[in-house]
């Protein structure tokens, strides 16, 4: 399974420790359902925000040890068990809902700082919740987790440029567009050009640097979970390779991983184990 909004994050896979599959799946369904409330269907913005408000009220109830409403039992019953059994922290769950609500009302970002603040709430909570389940809580690991999660979110943005612009949504910061002599309106009009591709290249370089900054975390997460994280990192880097293979024309087409990418990702994951300082960000 994968959360659509963080679709490079495998969840509850066969590599995940069996004892943690249920709480990880509970986090997945919590995030996935909230994401759908914010993005899917034909509801008005006001209705989406109202639904997310009701969803947050149910979250507050289960965090307080009370019963949620009957509206989303497939979400809050397993989440309540995970909260009881693993003492899940409340703030990352609330942060996710803040980000989903922001998606309803905000379609443009002025600069990288503003976008990173969004990623802090839309992506980083997932990694912090997983580290909590794995028993990893030191500050360096948390920072590296944030770097990986933010990189995955950014990679998803640059991968989905052709999809998001159709919805009128643009995550490339306006300040980055301006540095290339472009406006957000030009990207929303899907006017592909060498200049646009140069802009996307720069955004991908930013995401790759963040991923490599966080990648040493794979040596801190124990056991099978560490191997899953290796594949998460390599999956994100491989999508960047796919974007590069399109000459960064993601305004026109959405690249995706294929079955033939799996051996490359596995080989790079193995190299991460053997050579911790030589992370496999370049072609194998």
């Amino acid at each position: 399974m994968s959360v659509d909004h963080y679709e490079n994050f495998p969840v509850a896979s066969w590599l995940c420790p069996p004892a943690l599959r249920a709480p990880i799946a509970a986090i997945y369904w919590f995030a996935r359902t909230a994401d759908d409330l914010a993005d899917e269907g034909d509801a008005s913005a006001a209705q989406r925000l109202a639904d997310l408000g009701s969803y947050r009220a149910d979250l507050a109830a289960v965090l307080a040890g009370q019963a949620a409403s009957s509206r989303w039992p497939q979400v809050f019953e397993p989440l309540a068990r995970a909260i009881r059994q693993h003492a899940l922290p409340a703030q990352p769950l609330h942060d996710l809902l803040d980000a989903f609500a922001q998606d309803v009302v905000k379609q443009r970002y002025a600069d990288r700082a503003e976008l990173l603040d969004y990623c802090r709430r839309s992506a980083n909570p997932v990694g912090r919740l997983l580290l909590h389940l794995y028993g990893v809580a030191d500050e360096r690991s948390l920072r590296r987790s944030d770097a990986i999660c933010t990189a995955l979110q950014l990679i998803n943005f640059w991968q989905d440029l052709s999809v998001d612009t159709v919805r009128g949504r643009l995550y490339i910061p306006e300040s980055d567009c301006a540095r290339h002599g472009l406006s957000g309106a030009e990207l929303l009009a899907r006017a592909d050009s060498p200049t646009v591709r140069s802009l996307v290249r720069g955004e991908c370089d930013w995401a790759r640097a963040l991923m490599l900054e966080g990648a040493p975390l794979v040596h801190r997460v124990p056991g099978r979970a560490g191997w899953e994280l290796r594949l998460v990192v390599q999956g994100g880097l491989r999508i960047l390779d796919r974007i590069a293979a399109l000459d960064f024309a993601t305004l026109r087409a959405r690249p995706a991983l294929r079955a033939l990418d799996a051996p490359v990702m596995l080989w790079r994951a193995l190299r991460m184990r053997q050579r911790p300082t030589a992370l496999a960000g370049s072609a194998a």
Side-chain angles (χ1 to χ4, degrees):
M1 298 189 299
S2 64
V3 180
D4 284 354
H5 213 53
Y6 327 102
E7 63 182 14
N8 304 317
F9 247 121
V11 179
S13 76
W14 63 274
L15 279 175
C16 175
L20 297 182
R21 288 176 188 166
I24 292 174
I27 293 167
Y28 165 82
W29 285 113
F30 171 79
R32 169 65 182 269
T33 304
D35 195 11
D36 286 349
L37 289 174
D39 268 348
E40 299 300 321
D42 300 319
S44 66
Q47 183 60 54
R48 293 181 192 280
L49 292 174
D51 288 342
L52 286 169
S54 298
Y55 200 79
R56 190 188 292 273
D58 277 355
L59 172 62
V62 298
L63 285 168
Q66 302 168 1
S69 73
S70 60
R71 189 169 178 184
W72 298 283
Q74 76 282 7
V75 171
F76 288 104
E77 289 176 8
L79 184 65
R81 286 193 295 271
I83 290 169
R84 288 195 305 269
Q85 294 170 6
H86 300 278
L88 294 182
Q91 192 60 52
L93 298 168
H94 280 295
D95 285 345
L96 286 169
L97 296 189
D98 287 346
F100 294 135
Q102 182 169 312
D103 270 335
V104 177
V105 298
K106 188 174 180 63
Q107 285 76 44
R108 303 276 284 274
Y109 289 83
D111 52 33
R112 289 189 174 187
E114 194 172 70
L115 184 60
L116 287 173
D117 180 66
Y118 171 74
C119 293
R120 177 184 62 80
R121 290 170 288 120
S122 70
N124 298 0
V126 176
R128 287 183 172 239
L129 287 164
L130 293 179
L131 285 189
H132 176 84
L133 291 173
Y134 299 146
V136 178
D138 62 281
E139 189 59 35
R140 174 179 288 185
S141 294
L142 291 172
R143 289 197 305 269
R144 287 173 169 169
S145 172
D146 289 346
I148 290 173
C149 292
T150 292
L152 288 169
Q153 179 75 90
L154 295 177
I155 290 166
N156 186 232
F157 289 156
W158 317 148
Q159 178 188 24
D160 280 353
L161 197 56
S162 64
V163 177
D164 289 333
T165 50
V166 169
R167 296 181 174 183
R169 186 174 291 167
L170 182 63
Y171 291 101
I172 295 181
E174 292 179 346
S175 59
D176 288 9
C177 293
R179 278 195 294 272
H180 285 76
L182 295 166
S183 68
E186 289 176 271
L187 271 71
L188 289 171
R190 306 183 69 194
D192 186 38
S193 69
T195 305
V196 169
R197 296 186 189 193
S198 177
L199 169 61
V200 175
R201 179 194 295 269
E203 304 305 297
C204 288
D205 289 345
W206 175 29
R208 185 181 291 274
L210 278 170
M211 183 68 82
L212 295 179
E213 177 186 328
L217 180 63
V218 305
H219 306 290
R220 178 72 175 85
V221 175
R224 293 163 62 175
W227 280 104
E228 181 171 43
L229 183 56
R230 287 167 169 81
L231 292 173
V232 167
V233 169
Q234 294 304 331
L237 292 173
R238 188 60 175 166
I239 289 176
L240 290 175
D241 292 344
R242 286 288 177 198
I243 293 174
L246 281 178
D247 193 25
F248 303 96
T250 55
L251 198 58
R252 298 175 55 186
R254 182 186 187 277
L257 295 179
R258 308 168 187 167
L260 291 177
D261 291 308
V264 175
M265 292 162 52
L266 182 58
W267 171 243
R268 292 180 177 182
L270 289 167
R271 287 180 61 195
M272 291 176 78
R273 183 187 184 195
Q274 294 163 359
R275 299 169 58 200
T277 60
L279 300 169
S282 57

